[in-house]
Amino acid sequence: MAENEIRDVFVVGLRNAHAMENQALSIMKPQLSRIETYPEVAAKLEQHIRETEGQIARLEEVLDGLDESHSAFKDIALSFTGTMTAMGHTIAGDEILKNSFANFAFENFEIAAYKSLLTIADAGSFSAAKTALQSNLAEEQAMAKWLDENLAAVTRKFLLLREEGKTAKV
């Protein structure tokens, strides 16, 4: 593949990642605002929201370094779908579980996206972008690991709260 074609693929991937991170914010922020009985989940979401905002800034720096910008259309479109996803879970009696499943899946989607971008960065000799992409990847992997390690505890707490007749959904 010609160098300019690899660059085009890389820029599209970076724009997609930027939109993906905006989508992540539009999923996590409504979740955080609704959590009442899972403070450990709320704390982790607060932390990851800050990380995600940093990831967006890093992606913008990489795009700036290529004399490119993010796609406002993609950002808006994916933010909208993220908001709709978050709202869809609010009607579920097991909202915290649905959010946990969706968050775990989304983190793994982000991990795959960053691994692909790093492969493209190697193919196109975009070494200046690698540190930012590796940082984003590491944060996504850490969040996915936390979700994986805490799903059983969240599920047990949900069951216990339900058994006690307390609000368990969030």
Side-chain angles (χ1 to χ4, degrees), residues 65-114:
L66 297 167
D67 292 324
E68 298 285 348
S69 63
H70 61 91
S71 167
F73 175 76
K74 286 181 181 184
D75 289 351
I76 291 168
L78 288 183
S79 290
F80 176 76
T81 62
T83 300
M84 292 299 102
T85 299
M87 286 178 53
H89 292 172
T90 63
I91 60 172
D94 60 349
E95 180 180 356
I96 191 69
L97 297 181
K98 295 234 181 346
N99 287 345
S100 296
F101 307 156
N103 290 347
F104 184 70
F106 199 80
E107 292 304 320
N108 280 283
F109 177 81
E110 291 174 305
I111 289 166
Y114 285 117

mmCIF file of all heavy atoms in Angstrom, residues 65-114:
data_model
loop_
_atom_site.group_PDB
_atom_site.id
_atom_site.type_symbol
_atom_site.label_atom_id
_atom_site.label_comp_id
_atom_site.label_asym_id
_atom_site.label_seq_id
_atom_site.Cartn_x
_atom_site.Cartn_y
_atom_site.Cartn_z
ATOM 1 N N GLY A 65 -0.607 16.954 14.866
ATOM 2 C CA GLY A 65 0.731 16.664 14.358
ATOM 3 C C GLY A 65 0.727 16.217 12.903
ATOM 4 O O GLY A 65 1.743 16.322 12.217
ATOM 5 N N LEU A 66 -0.411 15.732 12.455
ATOM 6 C CA LEU A 66 -0.569 15.322 11.053
ATOM 7 C C LEU A 66 -1.265 16.410 10.225
ATOM 8 O O LEU A 66 -1.642 16.180 9.079
ATOM 9 C CB LEU A 66 -1.380 14.023 10.981
ATOM 10 C CG LEU A 66 -0.745 12.794 11.633
ATOM 11 C CD1 LEU A 66 -1.765 11.667 11.765
ATOM 12 C CD2 LEU A 66 0.463 12.341 10.832
ATOM 13 N N ASP A 67 -1.450 17.592 10.837
ATOM 14 C CA ASP A 67 -2.197 18.697 10.208
ATOM 15 C C ASP A 67 -3.612 18.278 9.831
ATOM 16 O O ASP A 67 -4.118 18.617 8.756
ATOM 17 C CB ASP A 67 -1.448 19.250 8.985
ATOM 18 C CG ASP A 67 -0.161 19.952 9.363
ATOM 19 O OD1 ASP A 67 -0.137 20.610 10.428
ATOM 20 O OD2 ASP A 67 0.836 19.817 8.611
ATOM 21 N N GLU A 68 -4.222 17.531 10.735
ATOM 22 C CA GLU A 68 -5.596 17.050 10.536
ATOM 23 C C GLU A 68 -6.409 17.429 11.768
ATOM 24 O O GLU A 68 -5.861 17.856 12.782
ATOM 25 C CB GLU A 68 -5.624 15.527 10.348
ATOM 26 C CG GLU A 68 -4.865 15.023 9.142
ATOM 27 C CD GLU A 68 -5.568 15.273 7.814
ATOM 28 O OE1 GLU A 68 -6.761 15.647 7.827
ATOM 29 O OE2 GLU A 68 -4.925 15.091 6.765
ATOM 30 N N SER A 69 -7.717 17.253 11.675
ATOM 31 C CA SER A 69 -8.586 17.517 12.823
ATOM 32 C C SER A 69 -9.579 16.363 12.951
ATOM 33 O O SER A 69 -9.713 15.540 12.052
ATOM 34 C CB SER A 69 -9.331 18.841 12.640
ATOM 35 O OG SER A 69 -10.178 18.776 11.516
ATOM 36 N N HIS A 70 -10.257 16.360 14.090
ATOM 37 C CA HIS A 70 -11.261 15.317 14.312
ATOM 38 C C HIS A 70 -12.492 15.605 13.460
ATOM 39 O O HIS A 70 -12.639 16.701 12.918
ATOM 40 C CB HIS A 70 -11.611 15.218 15.800
ATOM 41 C CG HIS A 70 -12.190 16.471 16.382
ATOM 42 N ND1 HIS A 70 -13.531 16.725 16.409
ATOM 43 C CD2 HIS A 70 -11.595 17.551 16.951
ATOM 44 C CE1 HIS A 70 -13.748 17.890 16.972
ATOM 45 N NE2 HIS A 70 -12.576 18.412 17.307
ATOM 46 N N SER A 71 -13.369 14.639 13.356
ATOM 47 C CA SER A 71 -14.594 14.789 12.566
ATOM 48 C C SER A 71 -15.743 15.145 13.496
ATOM 49 O O SER A 71 -16.202 14.310 14.276
ATOM 50 C CB SER A 71 -14.912 13.479 11.832
ATOM 51 O OG SER A 71 -16.224 13.513 11.310
ATOM 52 N N ALA A 72 -16.201 16.382 13.415
ATOM 53 C CA ALA A 72 -17.316 16.821 14.267
ATOM 54 C C ALA A 72 -18.551 15.967 14.007
ATOM 55 O O ALA A 72 -19.282 15.623 14.941
ATOM 56 C CB ALA A 72 -17.616 18.295 14.019
ATOM 57 N N PHE A 73 -18.778 15.608 12.755
ATOM 58 C CA PHE A 73 -19.944 14.783 12.424
ATOM 59 C C PHE A 73 -19.872 13.427 13.124
ATOM 60 O O PHE A 73 -20.840 12.981 13.740
ATOM 61 C CB PHE A 73 -20.066 14.587 10.910
ATOM 62 C CG PHE A 73 -21.188 13.656 10.533
ATOM 63 C CD1 PHE A 73 -22.502 14.080 10.585
ATOM 64 C CD2 PHE A 73 -20.918 12.346 10.153
ATOM 65 C CE1 PHE A 73 -23.551 13.215 10.264
ATOM 66 C CE2 PHE A 73 -21.948 11.469 9.832
ATOM 67 C CZ PHE A 73 -23.267 11.914 9.884
ATOM 68 N N LYS A 74 -18.711 12.770 13.043
ATOM 69 C CA LYS A 74 -18.550 11.470 13.714
ATOM 70 C C LYS A 74 -18.697 11.614 15.220
ATOM 71 O O LYS A 74 -19.309 10.777 15.879
ATOM 72 C CB LYS A 74 -17.198 10.837 13.378
ATOM 73 C CG LYS A 74 -17.115 10.277 11.979
ATOM 74 C CD LYS A 74 -15.757 9.640 11.716
ATOM 75 C CE LYS A 74 -15.695 9.104 10.308
ATOM 76 N NZ LYS A 74 -14.442 8.409 10.030
ATOM 77 N N ASP A 75 -18.108 12.684 15.776
ATOM 78 C CA ASP A 75 -18.207 12.909 17.220
ATOM 79 C C ASP A 75 -19.665 13.033 17.650
ATOM 80 O O ASP A 75 -20.096 12.405 18.618
ATOM 81 C CB ASP A 75 -17.455 14.180 17.621
ATOM 82 C CG ASP A 75 -15.951 14.043 17.542
ATOM 83 O OD1 ASP A 75 -15.443 12.920 17.330
ATOM 84 O OD2 ASP A 75 -15.276 15.080 17.698
ATOM 85 N N ILE A 76 -20.421 13.831 16.925
ATOM 86 C CA ILE A 76 -21.837 14.045 17.270
ATOM 87 C C ILE A 76 -22.633 12.761 17.088
ATOM 88 O O ILE A 76 -23.436 12.387 17.951
ATOM 89 C CB ILE A 76 -22.425 15.192 16.416
ATOM 90 C CG1 ILE A 76 -21.808 16.529 16.843
ATOM 91 C CG2 ILE A 76 -23.947 15.243 16.540
ATOM 92 C CD1 ILE A 76 -22.080 17.676 15.890
ATOM 93 N N ALA A 77 -22.416 12.085 15.976
ATOM 94 C CA ALA A 77 -23.178 10.864 15.695
ATOM 95 C C ALA A 77 -22.939 9.791 16.747
ATOM 96 O O ALA A 77 -23.893 9.181 17.258
ATOM 97 C CB ALA A 77 -22.838 10.333 14.293
ATOM 98 N N LEU A 78 -21.681 9.553 17.093
ATOM 99 C CA LEU A 78 -21.401 8.509 18.075
ATOM 100 C C LEU A 78 -21.770 8.938 19.487
ATOM 101 O O LEU A 78 -22.183 8.100 20.301
ATOM 102 C CB LEU A 78 -19.940 8.070 17.988
ATOM 103 C CG LEU A 78 -19.597 7.247 16.741
ATOM 104 C CD1 LEU A 78 -18.144 6.787 16.777
ATOM 105 C CD2 LEU A 78 -20.514 6.053 16.578
ATOM 106 N N SER A 79 -21.677 10.222 19.791
ATOM 107 C CA SER A 79 -22.134 10.699 21.098
ATOM 108 C C SER A 79 -23.631 10.466 21.244
ATOM 109 O O SER A 79 -24.119 10.057 22.297
ATOM 110 C CB SER A 79 -21.814 12.180 21.284
ATOM 111 O OG SER A 79 -20.436 12.364 21.432
ATOM 112 N N PHE A 80 -24.358 10.709 20.172
ATOM 113 C CA PHE A 80 -25.811 10.479 20.193
ATOM 114 C C PHE A 80 -26.126 9.007 20.430
ATOM 115 O O PHE A 80 -26.972 8.679 21.268
ATOM 116 C CB PHE A 80 -26.436 10.951 18.869
ATOM 117 C CG PHE A 80 -27.903 10.661 18.774
ATOM 118 C CD1 PHE A 80 -28.817 11.442 19.470
ATOM 119 C CD2 PHE A 80 -28.364 9.610 18.000
ATOM 120 C CE1 PHE A 80 -30.184 11.162 19.396
ATOM 121 C CE2 PHE A 80 -29.719 9.326 17.924
ATOM 122 C CZ PHE A 80 -30.630 10.107 18.613
ATOM 123 N N THR A 81 -25.430 8.125 19.729
ATOM 124 C CA THR A 81 -25.719 6.690 19.917
ATOM 125 C C THR A 81 -25.323 6.244 21.321
ATOM 126 O O THR A 81 -25.995 5.393 21.911
ATOM 127 C CB THR A 81 -25.007 5.810 18.864
ATOM 128 O OG1 THR A 81 -23.597 5.951 18.980
ATOM 129 C CG2 THR A 81 -25.448 6.152 17.455
ATOM 130 N N GLY A 82 -24.270 6.819 21.876
ATOM 131 C CA GLY A 82 -23.880 6.491 23.247
ATOM 132 C C GLY A 82 -24.938 6.924 24.244
ATOM 133 O O GLY A 82 -25.277 6.183 25.177
ATOM 134 N N THR A 83 -25.473 8.111 24.046
ATOM 135 C CA THR A 83 -26.532 8.611 24.926
ATOM 136 C C THR A 83 -27.762 7.722 24.845
ATOM 137 O O THR A 83 -28.380 7.398 25.869
ATOM 138 C CB THR A 83 -26.891 10.066 24.558
ATOM 139 O OG1 THR A 83 -25.713 10.864 24.708
ATOM 140 C CG2 THR A 83 -28.002 10.608 25.429
ATOM 141 N N MET A 84 -28.108 7.304 23.643
ATOM 142 C CA MET A 84 -29.273 6.434 23.470
ATOM 143 C C MET A 84 -29.046 5.075 24.147
ATOM 144 O O MET A 84 -29.959 4.522 24.765
ATOM 145 C CB MET A 84 -29.586 6.221 21.983
ATOM 146 C CG MET A 84 -30.077 7.471 21.261
ATOM 147 S SD MET A 84 -31.600 8.125 21.942
ATOM 148 C CE MET A 84 -30.998 9.496 22.904
ATOM 149 N N THR A 85 -27.836 4.567 24.066
ATOM 150 C CA THR A 85 -27.506 3.301 24.735
ATOM 151 C C THR A 85 -27.668 3.446 26.236
ATOM 152 O O THR A 85 -28.296 2.609 26.895
ATOM 153 C CB THR A 85 -26.059 2.871 24.399
ATOM 154 O OG1 THR A 85 -25.952 2.671 22.995
ATOM 155 C CG2 THR A 85 -25.676 1.603 25.131
ATOM 156 N N ALA A 86 -27.111 4.508 26.781
ATOM 157 C CA ALA A 86 -27.202 4.737 28.226
ATOM 158 C C ALA A 86 -28.654 4.901 28.655
ATOM 159 O O ALA A 86 -29.079 4.346 29.677
ATOM 160 C CB ALA A 86 -26.376 5.957 28.624
ATOM 161 N N MET A 87 -29.444 5.625 27.882
ATOM 162 C CA MET A 87 -30.851 5.822 28.221
ATOM 163 C C MET A 87 -31.631 4.518 28.133
ATOM 164 O O MET A 87 -32.537 4.282 28.934
ATOM 165 C CB MET A 87 -31.472 6.872 27.291
ATOM 166 C CG MET A 87 -31.036 8.288 27.617
ATOM 167 S SD MET A 87 -31.712 9.525 26.481
ATOM 168 C CE MET A 87 -33.455 9.186 26.548
ATOM 169 N N GLY A 88 -31.280 3.690 27.184
ATOM 170 C CA GLY A 88 -31.978 2.417 27.016
ATOM 171 C C GLY A 88 -31.861 1.520 28.235
ATOM 172 O O GLY A 88 -32.794 0.780 28.566
ATOM 173 N N HIS A 89 -30.747 1.599 28.923
ATOM 174 C CA HIS A 89 -30.546 0.764 30.112
ATOM 175 C C HIS A 89 -31.310 1.271 31.322
ATOM 176 O O HIS A 89 -31.539 0.522 32.265
ATOM 177 C CB HIS A 89 -29.057 0.664 30.443
ATOM 178 C CG HIS A 89 -28.277 -0.101 29.428
ATOM 179 N ND1 HIS A 89 -26.911 -0.167 29.452
ATOM 180 C CD2 HIS A 89 -28.658 -0.836 28.355
ATOM 181 C CE1 HIS A 89 -26.486 -0.900 28.436
ATOM 182 N NE2 HIS A 89 -27.533 -1.306 27.754
ATOM 183 N N THR A 90 -31.707 2.537 31.315
ATOM 184 C CA THR A 90 -32.354 3.108 32.501
ATOM 185 C C THR A 90 -33.702 2.472 32.803
ATOM 186 O O THR A 90 -34.150 2.519 33.944
ATOM 187 C CB THR A 90 -32.545 4.639 32.375
ATOM 188 O OG1 THR A 90 -33.422 4.920 31.289
ATOM 189 C CG2 THR A 90 -31.207 5.342 32.199
ATOM 190 N N ILE A 91 -34.336 1.883 31.815
ATOM 191 C CA ILE A 91 -35.643 1.263 32.054
ATOM 192 C C ILE A 91 -35.530 -0.175 32.554
ATOM 193 O O ILE A 91 -36.526 -0.769 32.948
ATOM 194 C CB ILE A 91 -36.530 1.307 30.785
ATOM 195 C CG1 ILE A 91 -35.868 0.556 29.630
ATOM 196 C CG2 ILE A 91 -36.847 2.745 30.405
ATOM 197 C CD1 ILE A 91 -36.745 0.391 28.411
ATOM 198 N N ALA A 92 -34.326 -0.694 32.574
ATOM 199 C CA ALA A 92 -34.121 -2.080 32.999
ATOM 200 C C ALA A 92 -34.055 -2.170 34.520
ATOM 201 O O ALA A 92 -33.447 -1.320 35.172
ATOM 202 C CB ALA A 92 -32.834 -2.634 32.391
ATOM 203 N N GLY A 93 -34.654 -3.189 35.068
ATOM 204 C CA GLY A 93 -34.600 -3.416 36.505
ATOM 205 C C GLY A 93 -33.219 -3.806 36.986
ATOM 206 O O GLY A 93 -32.930 -3.750 38.174
ATOM 207 N N ASP A 94 -32.382 -4.222 36.072
ATOM 208 C CA ASP A 94 -31.004 -4.598 36.392
ATOM 209 C C ASP A 94 -30.018 -3.686 35.654
ATOM 210 O O ASP A 94 -29.031 -4.119 35.108
ATOM 211 C CB ASP A 94 -30.756 -6.063 36.049
ATOM 212 C CG ASP A 94 -30.964 -6.379 34.579
ATOM 213 O OD1 ASP A 94 -31.508 -5.535 33.831
ATOM 214 O OD2 ASP A 94 -30.579 -7.494 34.171
ATOM 215 N N GLU A 95 -30.296 -2.401 35.714
ATOM 216 C CA GLU A 95 -29.515 -1.405 34.973
ATOM 217 C C GLU A 95 -28.016 -1.512 35.247
ATOM 218 O O GLU A 95 -27.211 -1.450 34.318
ATOM 219 C CB GLU A 95 -30.011 -0.005 35.326
ATOM 220 C CG GLU A 95 -29.274 1.116 34.629
ATOM 221 C CD GLU A 95 -29.790 2.492 34.993
ATOM 222 O OE1 GLU A 95 -30.780 2.614 35.737
ATOM 223 O OE2 GLU A 95 -29.175 3.462 34.525
ATOM 224 N N ILE A 96 -27.623 -1.685 36.506
ATOM 225 C CA ILE A 96 -26.204 -1.753 36.841
ATOM 226 C C ILE A 96 -25.528 -2.936 36.142
ATOM 227 O O ILE A 96 -24.385 -2.833 35.699
ATOM 228 C CB ILE A 96 -25.969 -1.793 38.374
ATOM 229 C CG1 ILE A 96 -24.486 -1.578 38.709
ATOM 230 C CG2 ILE A 96 -26.479 -3.099 38.981
ATOM 231 C CD1 ILE A 96 -23.958 -0.206 38.452
ATOM 232 N N LEU A 97 -26.249 -4.043 36.024
ATOM 233 C CA LEU A 97 -25.680 -5.205 35.339
ATOM 234 C C LEU A 97 -25.571 -4.946 33.843
ATOM 235 O O LEU A 97 -24.534 -5.219 33.236
ATOM 236 C CB LEU A 97 -26.510 -6.458 35.618
ATOM 237 C CG LEU A 97 -26.569 -6.906 37.083
ATOM 238 C CD1 LEU A 97 -27.397 -8.174 37.216
ATOM 239 C CD2 LEU A 97 -25.191 -7.079 37.675
ATOM 240 N N LYS A 98 -26.621 -4.413 33.259
ATOM 241 C CA LYS A 98 -26.587 -4.113 31.818
ATOM 242 C C LYS A 98 -25.455 -3.121 31.507
ATOM 243 O O LYS A 98 -24.733 -3.277 30.532
ATOM 244 C CB LYS A 98 -27.928 -3.561 31.355
ATOM 245 C CG LYS A 98 -29.063 -4.547 31.474
ATOM 246 C CD LYS A 98 -29.788 -4.728 30.185
ATOM 247 C CE LYS A 98 -30.949 -5.678 30.196
ATOM 248 N NZ LYS A 98 -31.146 -6.572 31.295
ATOM 249 N N ASN A 99 -25.316 -2.107 32.360
ATOM 250 C CA ASN A 99 -24.230 -1.145 32.166
ATOM 251 C C ASN A 99 -22.873 -1.828 32.283
ATOM 252 O O ASN A 99 -21.957 -1.534 31.504
ATOM 253 C CB ASN A 99 -24.325 -0.011 33.186
ATOM 254 C CG ASN A 99 -25.466 0.936 32.900
ATOM 255 O OD1 ASN A 99 -26.035 0.944 31.818
ATOM 256 N ND2 ASN A 99 -25.816 1.733 33.893
ATOM 257 N N SER A 100 -22.744 -2.736 33.239
ATOM 258 C CA SER A 100 -21.468 -3.444 33.422
ATOM 259 C C SER A 100 -21.127 -4.280 32.195
ATOM 260 O O SER A 100 -19.981 -4.289 31.745
ATOM 261 C CB SER A 100 -21.537 -4.332 34.669
ATOM 262 O OG SER A 100 -21.695 -3.548 35.825
ATOM 263 N N PHE A 101 -22.114 -4.981 31.655
ATOM 264 C CA PHE A 101 -21.877 -5.798 30.454
ATOM 265 C C PHE A 101 -21.475 -4.903 29.282
ATOM 266 O O PHE A 101 -20.514 -5.193 28.562
ATOM 267 C CB PHE A 101 -23.135 -6.582 30.038
ATOM 268 C CG PHE A 101 -23.764 -7.422 31.111
ATOM 269 C CD1 PHE A 101 -25.108 -7.751 31.008
ATOM 270 C CD2 PHE A 101 -23.063 -7.892 32.213
ATOM 271 C CE1 PHE A 101 -25.728 -8.535 31.978
ATOM 272 C CE2 PHE A 101 -23.667 -8.666 33.184
ATOM 273 C CZ PHE A 101 -25.008 -8.989 33.067
ATOM 274 N N ALA A 102 -22.241 -3.826 29.089
ATOM 275 C CA ALA A 102 -21.987 -2.924 27.961
ATOM 276 C C ALA A 102 -20.631 -2.236 28.099
ATOM 277 O O ALA A 102 -19.898 -2.092 27.112
ATOM 278 C CB ALA A 102 -23.106 -1.891 27.858
ATOM 279 N N ASN A 103 -20.290 -1.830 29.311
ATOM 280 C CA ASN A 103 -19.001 -1.165 29.519
ATOM 281 C C ASN A 103 -17.842 -2.112 29.236
ATOM 282 O O ASN A 103 -16.846 -1.724 28.623
ATOM 283 C CB ASN A 103 -18.909 -0.617 30.941
ATOM 284 C CG ASN A 103 -19.838 0.551 31.165
ATOM 285 O OD1 ASN A 103 -20.385 1.128 30.239
ATOM 286 N ND2 ASN A 103 -20.040 0.900 32.428
ATOM 287 N N PHE A 104 -17.976 -3.356 29.679
ATOM 288 C CA PHE A 104 -16.921 -4.341 29.427
ATOM 289 C C PHE A 104 -16.760 -4.569 27.922
ATOM 290 O O PHE A 104 -15.634 -4.582 27.408
ATOM 291 C CB PHE A 104 -17.226 -5.653 30.154
ATOM 292 C CG PHE A 104 -16.141 -6.673 30.016
ATOM 293 C CD1 PHE A 104 -14.917 -6.497 30.642
ATOM 294 C CD2 PHE A 104 -16.334 -7.817 29.257
ATOM 295 C CE1 PHE A 104 -13.899 -7.441 30.518
ATOM 296 C CE2 PHE A 104 -15.328 -8.764 29.122
ATOM 297 C CZ PHE A 104 -14.110 -8.572 29.748
ATOM 298 N N ALA A 105 -17.865 -4.717 27.230
ATOM 299 C CA ALA A 105 -17.810 -4.907 25.771
ATOM 300 C C ALA A 105 -17.195 -3.687 25.090
ATOM 301 O O ALA A 105 -16.341 -3.813 24.200
ATOM 302 C CB ALA A 105 -19.208 -5.187 25.220
ATOM 303 N N PHE A 106 -17.599 -2.494 25.514
ATOM 304 C CA PHE A 106 -17.093 -1.276 24.884
ATOM 305 C C PHE A 106 -15.603 -1.093 25.138
ATOM 306 O O PHE A 106 -14.861 -0.694 24.229
ATOM 307 C CB PHE A 106 -17.877 -0.052 25.374
ATOM 308 C CG PHE A 106 -17.733 1.144 24.477
ATOM 309 C CD1 PHE A 106 -18.480 1.244 23.320
ATOM 310 C CD2 PHE A 106 -16.829 2.145 24.769
ATOM 311 C CE1 PHE A 106 -18.331 2.338 22.469
ATOM 312 C CE2 PHE A 106 -16.673 3.239 23.934
ATOM 313 C CZ PHE A 106 -17.427 3.337 22.778
ATOM 314 N N GLU A 107 -15.148 -1.401 26.347
ATOM 315 C CA GLU A 107 -13.715 -1.301 26.629
ATOM 316 C C GLU A 107 -12.917 -2.226 25.714
ATOM 317 O O GLU A 107 -11.856 -1.851 25.219
ATOM 318 C CB GLU A 107 -13.415 -1.623 28.096
ATOM 319 C CG GLU A 107 -13.942 -0.601 29.076
ATOM 320 C CD GLU A 107 -13.459 0.811 28.833
ATOM 321 O OE1 GLU A 107 -12.271 0.996 28.501
ATOM 322 O OE2 GLU A 107 -14.263 1.739 28.990
ATOM 323 N N ASN A 108 -13.423 -3.417 25.479
ATOM 324 C CA ASN A 108 -12.720 -4.347 24.594
ATOM 325 C C ASN A 108 -12.757 -3.877 23.143
ATOM 326 O O ASN A 108 -11.793 -4.079 22.405
ATOM 327 C CB ASN A 108 -13.272 -5.761 24.769
ATOM 328 C CG ASN A 108 -12.687 -6.403 26.004
ATOM 329 O OD1 ASN A 108 -11.547 -6.839 26.000
ATOM 330 N ND2 ASN A 108 -13.446 -6.406 27.089
ATOM 331 N N PHE A 109 -13.830 -3.215 22.749
ATOM 332 C CA PHE A 109 -13.905 -2.599 21.424
ATOM 333 C C PHE A 109 -12.814 -1.528 21.299
ATOM 334 O O PHE A 109 -12.092 -1.465 20.292
ATOM 335 C CB PHE A 109 -15.301 -1.994 21.222
ATOM 336 C CG PHE A 109 -15.484 -1.273 19.917
ATOM 337 C CD1 PHE A 109 -15.754 -1.967 18.753
ATOM 338 C CD2 PHE A 109 -15.398 0.106 19.864
ATOM 339 C CE1 PHE A 109 -15.929 -1.298 17.548
ATOM 340 C CE2 PHE A 109 -15.567 0.789 18.669
ATOM 341 C CZ PHE A 109 -15.833 0.078 17.508
ATOM 342 N N GLU A 110 -12.671 -0.692 22.335
ATOM 343 C CA GLU A 110 -11.650 0.352 22.315
ATOM 344 C C GLU A 110 -10.246 -0.245 22.272
ATOM 345 O O GLU A 110 -9.368 0.262 21.558
ATOM 346 C CB GLU A 110 -11.807 1.254 23.550
ATOM 347 C CG GLU A 110 -13.055 2.108 23.507
ATOM 348 C CD GLU A 110 -13.266 2.891 24.787
ATOM 349 O OE1 GLU A 110 -13.304 2.261 25.865
ATOM 350 O OE2 GLU A 110 -13.372 4.126 24.704
ATOM 351 N N ILE A 111 -10.030 -1.307 23.029
ATOM 352 C CA ILE A 111 -8.733 -1.986 23.017
ATOM 353 C C ILE A 111 -8.394 -2.441 21.599
ATOM 354 O O ILE A 111 -7.278 -2.217 21.112
ATOM 355 C CB ILE A 111 -8.738 -3.172 24.003
ATOM 356 C CG1 ILE A 111 -8.737 -2.648 25.443
ATOM 357 C CG2 ILE A 111 -7.558 -4.114 23.754
ATOM 358 C CD1 ILE A 111 -9.068 -3.693 26.494
ATOM 359 N N ALA A 112 -9.346 -3.054 20.932
ATOM 360 C CA ALA A 112 -9.124 -3.516 19.557
ATOM 361 C C ALA A 112 -8.810 -2.336 18.630
ATOM 362 O O ALA A 112 -7.914 -2.431 17.778
ATOM 363 C CB ALA A 112 -10.340 -4.287 19.056
ATOM 364 N N ALA A 113 -9.521 -1.236 18.800
ATOM 365 C CA ALA A 113 -9.284 -0.058 17.956
ATOM 366 C C ALA A 113 -7.867 0.477 18.142
ATOM 367 O O ALA A 113 -7.179 0.793 17.154
ATOM 368 C CB ALA A 113 -10.315 1.029 18.281
ATOM 369 N N TYR A 114 -7.406 0.560 19.388
ATOM 370 C CA TYR A 114 -6.048 1.075 19.630
ATOM 371 C C TYR A 114 -4.976 0.101 19.155
ATOM 372 O O TYR A 114 -3.933 0.533 18.650
ATOM 373 C CB TYR A 114 -5.851 1.468 21.094
ATOM 374 C CG TYR A 114 -6.560 2.763 21.401
ATOM 375 C CD1 TYR A 114 -7.606 2.811 22.315
ATOM 376 C CD2 TYR A 114 -6.209 3.939 20.749
ATOM 377 C CE1 TYR A 114 -8.272 4.008 22.573
ATOM 378 C CE2 TYR A 114 -6.873 5.128 21.001
ATOM 379 C CZ TYR A 114 -7.897 5.154 21.911
ATOM 380 O OH TYR A 114 -8.553 6.333 22.147
#
